[in-house]
Amino acid sequence: MARPRILSGMRPTGPLHLGNLMGALDNWVRLQDSYDCFFTIVDWHSLTTDYADPRAIGQNIVEVAADWLAAGLDPARSVLFVQSQVPEHAELHLLLSMVTPVPWLERVPTYKEQQQQLADRDLSTYGFLGYPLLQTADIIVYKADAVPVGEDQVPHIELSREIVRRFNHLYGPVFPEPKTLLTEAKRIPGTDGRKMSKSYHNAIYLKDPPEVAREKIRPMVTDPARMRRTDPGNPDVCPVFDLHKAFSPQATQEWSAAGCRSAGIGCLDCKGRLTDHMLERLATIHARRPEFAARPDTVWDILREGSRKAREVAGATMEHVRAAMKIAYPK
Ligand code: SF4
């Protein structure tokens, strides 16, 4: 029996950090065992916010792909491709734009939120408003059964389902309604205690060499009430402990929590152990990544081959779409 198909993507904003690894990539690597996987670097989505200066996107595609390959995404088992290399995404996006009411897009929660957050840019563009519509096209052009996402993306998938229902109602059953495959959320704070993010300059990157990762963790924010080594602390409010929960075995977590509450350990001891476990977890990535990063041509070969495979599937879907819409004209 054919395995269910999933699709997910990442924007090429630069090298990936621990938040990307624990929030998505790690899960994708596991999903390869049970799903027919399509993973895409969504470069057109980067243009929705970075249209004024897109120069970095090409290099960022290589950075993301190097991280993917080093983390264990396997081009022999998954289709790894670049969105813009499959122009069918754009055609389907256009056709979907004909049937999608504008208020459906305006009510997506991230629309207004992001406009406020990125107030230094003019995001009153159609491209930005249409972002979830392009995302819908990305998913359904492969007739994906499900989409692995975090909690914040659930309204987008709900919108995709609504658009599919409308399309199928108008033209017949072309697309399956994609389901949400919720990724368990782990809190991965950055070194300043806020959510790890490239734009906060608080990220530990997969490409950071071990000594750089150690340097970043050493001054990391802890329980602010623990001013002195002799003060007992509270691991429940400490971002370092959140990272322990993501990377350290149970025994180390217990050692850290007990030592923190009793002031039996210092924060530097605690961070040192955390870094050891984190680096153990990253060892394979650190070993593999330089090879890919040093050979961008090989990375592009892999992405080109993945994009070719993706186009075969997307092309067949578009024939189905044009036929259903009665716009398949003689060639
Ligand atoms: S001992 Fe560890 S958990 Fe406690 S405040 Fe320091 S870094 Fe945080």
Side-chain angles (χ1 to χ4, degrees):
M1 210 177 81
R3 301 201 292 181
R5 179 172 292 164
I6 57 170
L7 176 132
S8 204
M10 285 188 193
R11 287 161 57 126
T13 51
L16 303 182
H17 54 62
L18 295 180
N20 305 125
L21 178 70
M22 305 309 277
L25 187 51
D26 215 24
N27 189 37
W28 292 6
V29 172
R30 281 193 297 272
L31 291 170
Q32 294 183 115
D33 296 333
S34 18
Y35 290 90
D36 177 23
C37 295
F38 282 65
F39 296 122
T40 176
I41 299 178
V42 286
D43 52 334
W44 280 334
H45 283 289
S46 289
L47 288 175
T48 59
T49 49
D50 298 340
Y51 62 86
D53 186 8
R55 279 173 298 181
I57 294 176
Q59 174 57 29
N60 289 345
I61 289 173
V62 176
E63 296 278 5
V64 171
D67 284 328
W68 282 10
L69 294 162
L73 289 189
D74 177 1
R77 292 195 291 157
S78 296
V79 180
L80 311 180
F81 68 101
V82 178
Q83 180 192 34
S84 65
Q85 303 309 293
V86 186
E88 285 78 3
H89 290 235
E91 183 185 357
L92 184 56
H93 175 214
L94 176 95
L95 296 178
L96 295 179
S97 76
M98 305 300 167
V99 305
T100 305
V102 172
W104 287 14
L105 298 173
E106 286 172 330
R107 70 169 193 237
V108 171
T110 47
Y111 176 58
K112 291 222 161 59
E113 268 167 40
Q114 281 220 329
Q115 266 187 334
Q116 281 158 5
Q117 274 170 16
L118 303 173
D120 57 325
R121 297 174 214 182
D122 178 6
L123 295 182
S124 58
T125 56
Y126 167 68
F128 186 68
L129 177 67
Y131 171 93
L133 195 56
L134 179 57
Q135 200 175 45
T136 300
D138 298 336
I139 299 163
I140 69 176
V141 82
Y142 301 101
K143 299 190 178 174
D145 299 292
V147 187
V149 287
E151 195 88 52
D152 56 331
Q153 287 286 312
V154 170
H156 287 189
I157 307 305
E158 203 37 63
L159 175 69
S160 297
R161 293 164 61 81
E162 225 172 332
I163 294 167
V164 162
R165 285 196 288 273
R166 185 165 168 103
F167 187 97
N168 288 350
H169 172 74
L170 287 167
Y171 307 115
V174 174
F175 299 112
E177 282 185 38
K179 295 186 190 66
T180 302
L181 207 60
L182 205 58
T183 308
E184 189 204 333
K186 280 200 185 81
R187 192 178 129 70
I188 304 293
T191 49
D192 60 358
R194 293 187 289 174
K195 185 180 170 185
M196 189 174 287
S197 160
K198 182 171 179 272
S199 43
Y200 293 156
H201 304 289
N202 65 0
I204 297 160
Y205 293 99
L206 305 190
K207 71 187 271 190
D208 283 343
E211 59 282 9
V212 173
R214 231 174 249 289
E215 278 308 307
K216 286 184 175 179
I217 297 277
R218 198 168 291 135
M220 181 163 174
V221 165
T222 61
D223 169 6
R226 192 169 189 212
M227 312 278 279
R228 286 173 298 266
R229 167 73 175 76
T230 47
D231 295 337
N234 178 3
D236 297 333
V237 299
C238 177
V240 174
F241 194 69
D242 283 325
L243 293 183
H244 267 300
K245 284 193 269 190
F247 291 100
S248 300
Q250 192 60 31
T252 305
Q253 292 180 38
E254 285 165 15
W255 165 84
S256 160
C260 179
R261 290 202 168 93
S262 64
I265 59 170
C267 290
L268 281 178
D269 306 326
C270 186
K271 290 170 176 174
R273 286 261 193 120
L274 163 68
T275 315
D276 293 343
H277 291 300
M278 187 186 286
L279 292 176
E280 264 168 41
R281 170 68 187 76
L282 296 175
T284 321
I285 297 178
H286 284 159
R288 287 186 192 149
R289 195 186 191 281
E291 228 185 282
F292 292 114
R295 291 184 299 151
D297 291 350
T298 307
V299 172
W300 272 110
D301 285 346
I302 292 169
L303 293 174
R304 255 194 308 274
E305 176 56 14
S307 303
R308 192 194 56 74
K309 288 185 195 159
R311 272 204 90 173
E312 276 177 20
V313 179
T317 302
M318 288 316 297
E319 284 189 16
H320 190 183
V321 166
R322 288 183 218 109
M325 293 179 75
K326 312 280 188 277
I327 54 169
Y329 310 122
K331 294 208 170 105

